[in-house]
Amino acid sequence: MKKVKDALNLHITAVQFWSDSTIVISWIHQESRELKTLVANRVSKIHQLSSRDQWHHIASEQNPAEVLSRGLLPEELRDDSLWWHGPELLLQDDKGVLRVGGRLEKASIPYSQKHPAILAKNSKLSKIYFLTLHKKLFHVGPQGLLNAVRLRFGALGGRNLARKTVHTCVVCFKGKPIPSSQIMGNLPYERVNMAPPFSITGLDLGGPYFVTFKHQRKGVLNKIYVCVCICFVPST
């Protein structure tokens, strides 16, 4: 990817990777040590050069790389919208804002939800918006914050940014309750002093249960009850 960025000679702030292979995406989102050696070596290299949240799945019919893989005549390539303009999941409105395409065109929801504008990963604007919305929603948790953001924007790396926003919030840190541990009472005298076996006994009853007996005609159920005798005398 570094060679591509150098060749383009452009100021690139964020990079996203797309693959039409669900298997590859699954490998990348796993720990390399969980995979077989050949795959693990390549996944480990990918993890060194990129992060997991940069990788996304795209359908084969929306993958521009498939255009050349399938093969096209020059005149067909000239008029191929997928090759020149990219997949439909990304579109640019009349104001030059890059938005998510998707399949919700006929849904009865606002345009900003059908085609949310894209927020760049780790940009200052993204961080400010996440933090502002987090406070506006009374310090909502990571998942709630991410859901609220997605009503207007498609944030790249949004899940990680939502977690970071909540975890670094001073108010949330101070207000986070600390779970208390239950204080156990002392064991009774009978449980901690030696005595003959079963001199102190507890009973536990259960049932009814329905069972079938061996050598019995099939389909006949017998009702039984269970009585468990428990010795409370401590063992030596």
Side-chain angles (χ1 to χ4, degrees), residues 146-157:
L146 182 61
N147 291 339
V149 170
R150 285 175 173 172
L151 292 176
R152 291 191 59 190
F153 297 101
L156 302 178

Side-chain angles (χ1 to χ4, degrees), residues 127-137:
K127 294 177 181 178
I128 292 175
Y129 183 73
F130 270 71
L131 181 59
T132 302
L133 195 59
H134 173 61
K135 294 179 179 179
K136 183 179 179 180
L137 297 177

Side-chain angles (χ1 to χ4, degrees), residues 82-103:
L82 179 61
W83 175 256
W84 294 106
H85 303 290
E88 293 181 357
L89 59 87
L90 297 178
L91 60 90
Q92 195 172 34
D93 63 15
D94 53 0
K95 296 181 180 179
V97 177
L98 194 62
R99 296 180 176 273
V100 176
R103 304 169 62 189

